[in-house]
Amino acid sequence: MRLIGLAVAGGALALLIGLVFLLGGNGQEKATASASPSTTLPAAPHVPTPSGAERDAYLAALRAIDPGLVEKEERAVQRGRNTCLDVLEKKTTEQVTANTRIRFTGAVAVDAEQARQIVEAVKAWCR
């Protein structure tokens, strides 16, 4: 019985090795191919992080809209960076506003006008 189990295991191993070679499992080629940059994909835009006076002004603008938006300042900054990415990707005004409304709704419910104000606060430092 034990010999049959070893034969089955050996056959499975041989099958696995065969599949690796059949599918081009030479790790060297794949590593080299993936190391070269793709020229077909557009580069992702650099998303700035507000700091210093820009950060203070941004957080103050959010507080003026609703103090609940900045209960966690780092989260507010990260959500602002995500909104900035939408802007840099040149999404439509409607899409940016809709995404911002969803993104910032949590402890507070953000309406369309508040979302528009948040987008304006982000645009002050998003370049």
Side-chain angles (χ1 to χ4, degrees):
M1 242 4 214
R2 188 171 187 164
L3 287 176
I4 293 173
L6 288 174
V8 170
L13 180 60
L15 179 63
L16 179 60
I17 291 171
L19 283 173
V20 167
F21 283 111
L22 180 65
L23 298 173
N26 181 345
Q28 295 283 8
E29 292 174 18
K30 287 185 179 183
T32 304
S34 66
S36 62
S38 172
T39 56
T40 58
L41 296 175
H46 167 73
V47 180
T49 302
S51 61
E54 283 183 335
R55 178 186 166 104
D56 293 343
Y58 167 65
L59 294 174
L62 292 182
R63 276 188 195 92
I65 296 166
D66 188 310
L69 293 172
V70 290
E71 280 184 14
K72 296 181 180 177
E73 290 183 359
E74 289 307 313
R75 182 185 298 167
V77 169
Q78 186 57 44
R79 288 175 175 174
R81 291 186 76 231
N82 291 334
T83 296
C84 180
L85 180 59
D86 285 351
V87 171
L88 295 175
E89 289 179 338
K90 301 187 185 316
K91 292 185 178 175
T92 66
T93 301
E94 294 79 18
Q95 188 63 54
V96 174
T97 303
N99 289 350
T100 299
R101 184 175 182 187
I102 293 166
R103 188 175 289 129
F104 279 83
T105 293
V108 246
V110 175
D111 64 28
E113 177 57 26
Q114 290 171 315
R116 188 194 62 71
Q117 292 171 4
I118 293 168
V119 171
E120 290 307 311
V122 168
K123 286 182 177 180
W125 54 264
C126 177
R127 341 175 212 347

